Amino acid sequence: PEAVVKKYLEELKGTPADEDCIICMEKLSSPSGYGDACECNTIKPETVGRLRNCQHSFHMLCMLAMYSNGNKDGSLQCPSCKTIYGEKTGTQPKGKMEVSTFPQSLPGHKDCGTIQIVYHISRGIQGPEHPNPGMPYTARGFPRYCYLPDNEKGRKVLELLRVAWKRRLIFTVGTSSTTGESNTVVWNEIHHKTEMDTNLSGHGYPDPNYLDNVLAELAAQGVTEDCLRQ
């Protein structure tokens, strides 16, 4: 963890600015509020670091505490502006993503056919990255069917969803917002359209803003067009 923090933050020399660390809410000129909770020989509680790209500053020990409470996947996310450093991965359980196309059009996309994505995840036992390691998790409502227009933008969203799937970002194990059930597989902040013909539920078409919205949600998880060029 210390190596990850030191990779993305440069240590500031001299007197830090008179502002608060938004992680511990102590002044940057005071020691980190995580000094007691976070044992670390190589980073002192008063050390302040600045993220290399977005230039936001925090106690380095606070960033270490934040990283150690997450997935520990080698990536850091700025708590201020959400810029991602490294490649963010999630905790999605094992499964399968299948893609097919058919000629029927979606409402609002009359000029093209439809892409169908089918996600398969089965129930299992939680791993060390999940909320309750060793306990079972349920997987209700699978396989889940989702729809995109088969046009240029829809195909771009599909390719980015493939990246998000590989990085385990589309589902996670948590508490269902619809049923309240805990230890179950739930969607993870990347919205999908699960109905074709009506948008009364908000999960269907027509929805002229959907493709732009989902591109923004993917970008917030670090999945952008740059990933497709690699």
Side-chain angles (χ1 to χ4, degrees), residues 5 29 31 42 57 65 71 73 76 78-79 112 124 132 159 163 172 179 181-182 196 199 211 217:
V5 170
S29 50
T42 58
S57 299
N71 288 6
D73 60 2
L76 271 183
C78 174
C112 64
N132 296 296
E159 290 313 308
V163 174
T172 187
T179 66
E181 181 182 7
S182 55
M196 283 183 63
N199 198 19
L211 294 175
E217 290 171 348

Side-chain angles (χ1 to χ4, degrees), residues 1-7 39-43 60 64 67-68:
E2 287 100 339
V4 173
V5 170
K6 288 177 173 174
K7 180 177 177 184
E39 288 295 316
C40 176
N41 302 327
T42 58
I43 299 175
M60 288 180 76
L64 180 66
Y67 177 78
S68 299

Side-chain angles (χ1 to χ4, degrees), residues 4-10 49-58 63 66-67 73-89 167 219-222:
V4 173
V5 170
K6 288 177 173 174
K7 180 177 177 184
Y8 299 121
L9 284 98
E10 55 192 336
R50 183 165 59 203
L51 283 164
R52 295 180 189 282
N53 294 350
C54 65
Q55 300 286 300
H56 288 117
S57 299
F58 311 91
M63 285 303 274
M66 189 184 84
Y67 177 78
D73 60 2
S75 76
L76 271 183
Q77 187 162 22
C78 174
S80 214
C81 66
K82 305 299 184 222
T83 298
I84 292 171
Y85 294 80
E87 185 179 294
K88 181 178 178 180
T89 57
R167 294 186 186 174
Q221 302 286 341

